[in-house]
Protein backbone atom coordinates (compact mmCIF):
# COMPACT_ATOMS: atom_id res chain seq x y z
CA UNK A 1 0.00 0.00 0.00
CA UNK A 2 0.93 3.69 -0.08
CA UNK A 3 1.10 6.12 2.80
CA UNK A 4 -0.65 9.35 1.93
CA UNK A 5 -0.85 12.50 4.01
CA UNK A 6 -2.98 15.57 3.48
CA UNK A 7 -2.74 19.07 4.90
CA UNK A 8 -4.70 20.62 6.41
CA UNK A 9 -6.88 17.93 7.97
CA UNK A 10 -9.69 20.43 8.36
CA UNK A 11 -10.35 24.12 7.97
CA UNK A 12 -13.11 26.64 8.33
CA UNK A 13 -12.97 29.34 5.68
CA UNK A 14 -14.93 32.41 4.80
CA UNK A 15 -16.91 32.81 1.63
CA UNK A 16 -14.87 34.26 -1.23
CA UNK A 17 -11.49 33.06 -0.01
CA UNK A 18 -9.31 30.22 -1.35
CA UNK A 19 -7.75 27.19 0.30
CA UNK A 20 -4.90 25.05 -0.98
CA UNK A 21 -4.84 21.41 0.06
CA UNK A 22 -1.61 19.45 -0.07
CA UNK A 23 -1.21 15.74 -0.76
CA UNK A 24 2.06 13.92 -0.11
CA UNK A 25 2.79 10.28 -0.97
CA UNK A 26 5.61 8.14 0.42
CA UNK A 27 6.51 6.72 -3.00
CA UNK A 28 6.59 7.85 -6.61
CA UNK A 29 3.30 7.43 -8.45
CA UNK A 30 2.25 8.28 -11.97
CA UNK A 31 -1.30 9.43 -11.41
CA UNK A 32 -2.93 11.20 -8.51
CA UNK A 33 -6.65 11.78 -8.20
CA UNK A 34 -8.68 14.39 -6.35
CA UNK A 35 -12.18 13.52 -5.12
CA UNK A 36 -14.91 15.39 -3.30
CA UNK A 37 -17.27 13.84 -0.77
CA UNK A 38 -20.15 16.14 0.05
CA UNK A 39 -21.95 15.63 3.36
CA UNK A 40 -23.77 12.31 3.37
CA UNK A 41 -22.87 11.68 -0.25
CA UNK A 42 -20.57 9.43 -2.21
CA UNK A 43 -17.23 10.37 -3.70
CA UNK A 44 -17.04 12.29 -6.96
CA UNK A 45 -13.88 12.65 -8.99
CA UNK A 46 -12.77 16.24 -9.52
CA UNK A 47 -9.68 15.69 -11.65
CA UNK A 48 -6.77 13.45 -12.47
CA UNK A 49 -3.27 14.87 -12.04
CA UNK A 50 -0.43 13.50 -14.10
CA UNK A 51 3.07 14.74 -13.38
CA UNK A 52 4.34 17.07 -16.04
CA UNK A 53 1.03 17.78 -17.74
CA UNK A 54 -2.18 19.67 -17.17
CA UNK A 55 -4.75 18.02 -14.94
CA UNK A 56 -7.78 16.43 -16.58
CA UNK A 57 -11.05 17.66 -15.12
CA UNK A 58 -14.35 15.82 -14.91
CA UNK A 59 -17.59 17.25 -16.15
CA UNK A 60 -18.82 19.96 -13.80
CA UNK A 61 -15.37 20.89 -12.50
CA UNK A 62 -13.20 23.61 -14.03
CA UNK A 63 -9.60 24.65 -13.64
CA UNK A 64 -10.42 28.21 -12.58
CA UNK A 65 -12.36 26.90 -9.59
CA UNK A 66 -10.11 23.94 -8.73
CA UNK A 67 -6.57 24.59 -9.96
CA UNK A 68 -4.24 21.65 -9.43
CA UNK A 69 -0.47 21.44 -9.36
CA UNK A 70 1.64 18.31 -9.71
CA UNK A 71 5.27 19.40 -9.49
CA UNK A 72 6.76 15.93 -8.92
CA UNK A 73 5.88 12.26 -8.56
CA UNK A 74 5.11 12.40 -4.83
CA UNK A 75 3.20 15.65 -4.35
CA UNK A 76 0.11 17.49 -5.55
CA UNK A 77 -2.03 20.41 -4.47
CA UNK A 78 -5.68 21.24 -5.03
CA UNK A 79 -6.92 24.80 -4.56
CA UNK A 80 -10.56 25.53 -3.91
CA UNK A 81 -11.02 29.07 -5.18
CA UNK A 82 -13.57 31.77 -4.41
CA UNK A 83 -15.30 29.45 -1.98
CA UNK A 84 -19.00 29.33 -1.26
CA UNK A 85 -20.91 27.27 1.34
CA UNK A 86 -21.65 24.73 -1.40
CA UNK A 87 -17.93 23.88 -1.44
CA UNK A 88 -18.18 22.51 2.10
CA UNK A 89 -17.03 18.92 1.65
CA UNK A 90 -14.32 16.44 2.39
CA UNK A 91 -11.60 16.58 -0.25
CA UNK A 92 -9.53 13.46 -0.76
CA UNK A 93 -6.51 12.64 -2.83
CA UNK A 94 -5.75 9.15 -3.99
CA UNK A 95 -2.99 7.34 -5.82
CA UNK A 96 -2.77 4.08 -7.66
CA UNK A 97 0.15 1.81 -7.03
CA UNK A 98 1.46 1.30 -10.55
CA UNK A 99 -0.04 -1.77 -12.19
CA UNK A 100 -1.94 -2.86 -9.08
CA UNK A 101 -5.47 -1.66 -9.96
CA UNK A 102 -5.65 -0.55 -6.33
CA UNK A 103 -6.22 3.05 -5.32
CA UNK A 104 -5.22 4.30 -1.90
CA UNK A 105 -6.76 7.34 -0.29
CA UNK A 106 -5.47 10.05 1.93
CA UNK A 107 -7.25 10.84 5.20
CA UNK A 108 -9.11 13.75 3.63
CA UNK A 109 -9.45 17.47 4.29
CA UNK A 110 -12.72 18.53 5.86
CA UNK A 111 -13.60 21.98 4.57
CA UNK A 112 -16.36 24.14 5.99
CA UNK A 113 -17.20 27.41 4.26
CA UNK A 114 -19.14 30.00 6.24
CA UNK B 1 -21.66 6.35 -18.84
CA UNK B 2 -20.38 4.19 -16.04
CA UNK B 3 -22.42 3.87 -12.89
CA UNK B 4 -22.65 1.87 -9.68
CA UNK B 5 -25.89 1.20 -7.85
CA UNK B 6 -25.96 0.08 -4.24
CA UNK B 7 -28.91 -1.06 -2.19
CA UNK B 8 -30.55 1.55 -0.03
CA UNK B 9 -29.50 1.81 3.57
CA UNK B 10 -28.87 2.04 6.39
CA UNK B 11 -28.55 -1.57 7.46
CA UNK B 12 -28.69 -2.65 11.10
CA UNK B 13 -27.77 -6.20 12.10
CA UNK B 14 -27.14 -8.13 15.26
CA UNK B 15 -23.68 -9.49 15.91
CA UNK B 16 -23.02 -12.83 14.17
CA UNK B 17 -25.74 -12.21 11.57
CA UNK B 18 -25.16 -12.84 7.88
CA UNK B 19 -24.50 -9.78 5.76
CA UNK B 20 -25.26 -9.13 2.11
CA UNK B 21 -24.86 -5.70 0.54
CA UNK B 22 -25.98 -5.57 -3.07
CA UNK B 23 -24.05 -3.78 -5.79
CA UNK B 24 -24.72 -3.69 -9.52
CA UNK B 25 -22.87 -1.79 -12.18
CA UNK B 26 -23.09 -0.41 -15.69
CA UNK B 27 -19.90 -0.09 -17.69
CA UNK B 28 -18.50 -0.71 -21.12
CA UNK B 29 -15.84 -3.33 -21.52
CA UNK B 30 -14.42 -5.19 -18.57
CA UNK B 31 -14.18 -3.05 -15.45
CA UNK B 32 -12.36 -3.83 -12.25
CA UNK B 33 -14.61 -3.87 -9.19
CA UNK B 34 -13.90 -2.81 -5.63
CA UNK B 35 -15.37 -2.52 -2.17
CA UNK B 36 -14.10 0.30 0.00
CA UNK B 37 -14.86 0.78 3.69
CA UNK B 38 -14.89 3.93 5.78
CA UNK B 39 -14.80 3.29 9.52
CA UNK B 40 -16.04 6.05 11.83
CA UNK B 41 -13.52 8.86 11.98
CA UNK B 42 -11.15 7.16 9.56
CA UNK B 43 -10.22 7.43 5.91
CA UNK B 44 -11.36 5.32 3.01
CA UNK B 45 -9.74 1.89 2.84
CA UNK B 46 -9.72 -0.71 0.11
CA UNK B 47 -11.51 -3.80 1.44
CA UNK B 48 -11.32 -6.13 -1.56
CA UNK B 49 -11.19 -6.18 -5.33
CA UNK B 50 -11.81 -8.35 -8.40
CA UNK B 51 -10.37 -7.57 -11.79
CA UNK B 52 -12.08 -10.07 -14.08
CA UNK B 53 -15.26 -12.08 -14.37
CA UNK B 54 -15.75 -14.89 -11.83
CA UNK B 55 -12.92 -13.59 -9.65
CA UNK B 56 -13.66 -13.63 -5.93
CA UNK B 57 -12.18 -10.91 -3.78
CA UNK B 58 -11.86 -11.57 -0.06
CA UNK B 59 -10.50 -9.86 3.03
CA UNK B 60 -11.30 -9.81 6.76
CA UNK B 61 -14.02 -12.42 6.30
CA UNK B 62 -15.76 -10.41 3.56
CA UNK B 63 -16.20 -11.81 0.07
CA UNK B 64 -17.53 -10.58 -3.25
CA UNK B 65 -17.69 -12.36 -6.61
CA UNK B 66 -17.49 -10.56 -9.95
CA UNK B 67 -20.59 -11.71 -11.86
CA UNK B 68 -20.51 -10.43 -15.41
CA UNK B 69 -23.76 -12.11 -16.40
CA UNK B 70 -25.68 -10.20 -13.74
CA UNK B 71 -23.31 -7.18 -13.64
CA UNK B 72 -23.09 -7.56 -9.89
CA UNK B 73 -20.51 -7.55 -7.12
CA UNK B 74 -22.42 -8.23 -3.92
CA UNK B 75 -20.55 -8.05 -0.61
CA UNK B 76 -21.08 -10.86 1.90
CA UNK B 77 -19.89 -11.84 5.34
CA UNK B 78 -21.00 -14.88 7.21
CA UNK B 79 -20.88 -13.46 10.73
CA UNK B 80 -20.61 -9.71 11.30
CA UNK B 81 -19.01 -8.12 14.32
CA UNK B 82 -19.60 -4.80 16.03
CA UNK B 83 -16.25 -3.67 14.63
CA UNK B 84 -17.65 -4.04 11.08
CA UNK B 85 -19.87 -1.01 11.65
CA UNK B 86 -18.85 1.39 8.89
CA UNK B 87 -19.86 2.87 5.56
CA UNK B 88 -19.31 0.54 2.60
CA UNK B 89 -18.80 1.80 -0.96
CA UNK B 90 -18.90 -0.26 -4.13
CA UNK B 91 -16.79 1.15 -6.97
CA UNK B 92 -15.59 0.36 -10.44
CA UNK B 93 -12.59 1.26 -12.54
CA UNK B 94 -13.51 1.09 -16.16
CA UNK B 95 -10.21 0.99 -17.96
CA UNK B 96 -7.88 -0.87 -15.64
CA UNK B 97 -4.74 0.64 -14.21
CA UNK B 98 -4.45 4.39 -13.68
CA UNK B 99 -8.16 4.86 -14.11
CA UNK B 100 -10.62 6.86 -12.12
CA UNK B 101 -13.05 5.21 -9.75
CA UNK B 102 -16.80 5.54 -10.02
CA UNK B 103 -18.45 5.06 -6.64
CA UNK B 104 -21.87 3.98 -5.50
CA UNK B 105 -23.70 6.05 -2.91
CA UNK B 106 -22.42 4.00 0.00
CA UNK B 107 -24.35 2.21 2.68
CA UNK B 108 -24.06 2.52 6.43
CA UNK B 109 -23.86 -0.72 8.37
CA UNK B 110 -24.49 -0.75 12.09
CA UNK B 111 -23.90 -3.95 14.04
CA UNK B 112 -25.35 -4.15 17.53
CA UNK B 113 -24.01 -6.46 20.24
Amino acid sequence: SAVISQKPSRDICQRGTSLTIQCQVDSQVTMMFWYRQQPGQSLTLIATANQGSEATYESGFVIDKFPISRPNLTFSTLTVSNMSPEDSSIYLCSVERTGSYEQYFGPGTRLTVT
Amino acid sequence: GNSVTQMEGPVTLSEEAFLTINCTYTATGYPSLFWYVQYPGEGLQLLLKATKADDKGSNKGFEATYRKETTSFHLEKGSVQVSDSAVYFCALSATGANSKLTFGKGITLSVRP
Side-chain angles (χ1 to χ4, degrees), chain A residues 49-55 70:
Chain A
N50 198 1
Q51 194 269 335
S53 63
E54 292 289 327
R70 182 79 200 275

Side-chain angles (χ1 to χ4, degrees), chain A residues 30-31 33 35 37 40-45 48 58 90 92 94 96-107, chain B residues 6 32 34 36 38 42-46 49 51 87 89-90 93 95-106:
Chain A
T30 304
M31 305 279 272
F33 305 87
Y35 291 83
Q37 186 178 19
Q41 302 295 314
S42 187
L43 285 80
T44 301
L45 182 67
T48 303
E58 296 298 301
I90 298 174
L92 301 103
S94 77
E96 181 176 305
R97 193 160 56 89
T98 303
S100 73
Y101 302 96
E102 298 174 4
Q103 280 195 26
Y104 299 95
F105 284 80
Chain B
Q6 290 184 234
S32 297
F34 307 86
Y36 281 84
Q38 192 170 36
E42 298 186 16
L44 202 63
Q45 302 174 24
L46 177 63
K49 70 175 183 185
T51 57
V87 182
F89 293 93
C90 185
S93 172
T95 57
N98 285 332
S99 178
K100 65 179 184 180
L101 289 169
T102 300
F103 284 87
K105 289 188 175 181

Side-chain angles (χ1 to χ4, degrees), chain B residues 48-65:
Chain B
L48 54 83
K49 70 175 183 185
T51 57
K52 61 182 186 293
D54 299 325
D55 267 2
K56 178 185 286 188
S58 61
N59 187 23
K60 299 182 179 180
F62 290 89
E63 293 183 340
T65 300

Side-chain angles (χ1 to χ4, degrees), chain A residues 36 46 57-62 65-66:
Chain A
R36 180 174 75 181
I46 297 171
Y57 289 82
E58 296 298 301
S59 176
F61 297 97
V62 295
K65 175 67 175 177
F66 297 101

Side-chain angles (χ1 to χ4, degrees), chain A residues 62-103:
Chain A
V62 295
I63 188 171
D64 289 346
K65 175 67 175 177
F66 297 101
I68 288 171
S69 77
R70 182 79 200 275
N72 59 51
L73 291 173
T74 63
F75 187 79
S76 178
T77 66
L78 169 75
T79 299
V80 186
S81 303
N82 188 24
M83 288 184 284
S84 67
E86 293 71 37
D87 294 321
S88 297
S89 294
I90 298 174
Y91 292 85
L92 301 103
C93 68
S94 77
V95 305
E96 181 176 305
R97 193 160 56 89
T98 303
S100 73
Y101 302 96
E102 298 174 4
Q103 280 195 26

